[in-house]
Amino acid sequence: MVQGTPTPYPPMPGGKPGEMLVPMRLQRYLARAGVASRRGSEGLMTAGRVRVNGQVVTELGTKVNPLADVVSVDGTPVSLETGNAYVLLNKPAGYVTTMSDPQGRATVAELVPRDRYPGLFPVGRLDHDTTGVLLFTTDGDLAHALLHPSHHVEKTYLALVRGTLSSGEQALVRAGMTLDDGPTRPAGLEQLEHEEYRDKSHHLTQGTWERITITEGRKRQVKRMFMSIHHPVVRLHRESFGPLVLGGLPQGEWRPLTDDEVTSLRDASSRQTPATTSGMR
Ligand code: URA
């Protein structure tokens, strides 16, 4: 355990570029190692389930030296080197969401550091022509929890649709509509600005940008929802996935998630929100 001024340690093997290991709070260490969210880790500590160098540690401010201290939970050693990787990609159009494609199409695998983080895979899927937030991880448990239908993780999209939705059509999207695979849950919808675009025959056509928030992840769901009310989607961009936003990340580029983002993702993945999402417009 660490006393006095924190000293940075060299990056751990396979660590992220520029990353230094510094003495860190035990709950942060546990969260980084993928044991639980930071709050969950605090619970483990106060329950007396965490030991450092064989001693039970319940004091939340305790710091550990990641290279020297042996941390265990319920007797099982926990190491940062076994921690998972979490990467956010700003997906460009023209890439399929798969790590390999038998038809030889360009895949998102080309855009993320799969050699540095073996086992990286995309959490969910964006269509070939959809852009924006796409999470990759090696953490199968977190991915499973994020995609689980009962957890209702919010996904927000900007969609340019043909024409303009009437107030009745907007109400339908918000309330939930019937698609061929069943009814949709209530969605958030905000009508933004109008924009003219060229259709497939190069005719100038009036469109409208809509911000839509859904809590499901059904195949091509946003496009099918707007298509069912005769406003096909012309362009689709995912603005956010749970707590994750691009934050200025250029298209085609990736960045590792911050510790706080991983913690918020864990929190979002374990939250059971009601079917009618409050705060949705
Ligand atoms: N809904 C769609 O229709 N397409 C996507 O890529 C994502 C959500």
Side-chain angles (χ1 to χ4, degrees):
M1 273 171 277
V2 173
Q3 266 102 40
T5 322
T7 323
Y9 303 109
M12 61 183 174
K16 295 161 198 161
E19 179 181 61
M20 301 296 278
L21 287 178
V22 292
M24 61 176 81
R25 283 169 177 260
L26 184 50
Q27 58 265 45
R28 178 160 174 250
Y29 178 100
L30 294 168
R32 279 277 308 271
V35 171
S37 68
R38 224 177 275 188
R39 215 176 310 142
S41 301
E42 288 175 0
L44 292 173
M45 289 170 65
T46 51
R49 295 170 58 186
V50 182
R51 287 173 188 262
V52 178
N53 305 327
Q55 281 180 325
V56 172
V57 174
T58 52
E59 172 77 50
L60 294 180
T62 306
K63 286 194 170 174
V64 289
N65 170 342
L67 294 184
D69 291 326
V70 178
V71 178
S72 61
V73 176
D74 295 335
T76 305
V78 172
S79 146
L80 282 190
E81 289 172 44
T82 60
N84 281 302
Y86 304 90
V87 163
L88 183 65
L89 173 71
N90 183 354
K91 180 190 174 296
Y95 290 80
V96 286
T97 306
T98 172
M99 294 308 272
S100 69
D101 184 56
Q103 297 169 49
R105 290 172 298 178
T107 75
V108 290
E110 298 164 28
L111 305 172
V112 291
R114 60 188 313 193
D115 295 339
R116 188 178 312 164
Y117 306 121
L120 210 54
F121 64 89
V123 178
R125 171 187 299 260
L126 291 178
D127 294 339
H128 184 258
D129 54 352
T130 301
T131 58
V133 171
L134 185 60
L135 170 68
F136 289 75
T137 186
T138 53
D139 184 341
D141 291 341
L142 181 64
H144 180 75
L146 286 167
L147 296 176
H148 198 280
S150 72
H151 291 162
H152 307 153
V153 174
E154 291 188 356
K155 286 140 280 218
T156 298
Y157 296 86
L158 291 175
L160 177 62
V161 304
R162 189 179 72 197
T164 303
L165 273 66
S166 67
S167 51
E169 289 166 336
Q170 291 178 43
L172 195 59
V173 171
R174 290 192 182 107
M177 61 207 320
T178 302
L179 298 179
D180 51 13
D181 55 354
T184 62
R185 287 184 191 282
L189 187 73
E190 192 184 344
Q191 197 143 284
L192 307 173
E193 67 268 15
H194 300 294
E195 184 175 315
E196 280 188 334
Y197 65 91
R198 298 221 171 251
D199 70 9
K200 287 188 181 129
S201 319
H202 301 282
H203 294 128
L204 261 188
T205 308
Q206 178 70 44
T208 308
W209 282 101
E210 304 282 344
R211 176 175 283 123
I212 178 167
T213 300
I214 59 173
T215 58
E216 303 158 279
R218 283 146 63 176
K219 204 165 178 216
R220 302 185 69 249
Q221 182 169 341
V222 173
K223 290 179 185 167
R224 289 190 295 130
M225 286 172 76
F226 285 114
M227 183 58 104
S228 77
I229 49 171
H230 312 291
H231 293 284
V233 171
V234 183
R235 244 172 276 154
L236 190 60
H237 173 81
R238 183 151 72 186
E239 249 188 347
S240 63
F241 178 75
L244 303 181
V245 293
L246 292 171
L249 183 68
Q251 216 166 79
E253 306 220 342
W254 65 272
R255 64 171 175 84
L257 295 195
T258 64
D259 291 348
D260 286 344
E261 285 174 319
V262 175
T263 302
S264 315
L265 262 186
R266 286 216 177 90
D267 288 345
S269 73
S270 58
R271 212 175 291 138
Q272 304 267 342
T273 52
T276 311
T277 306
S278 61
M280 283 193 172
R281 276 165 285 185

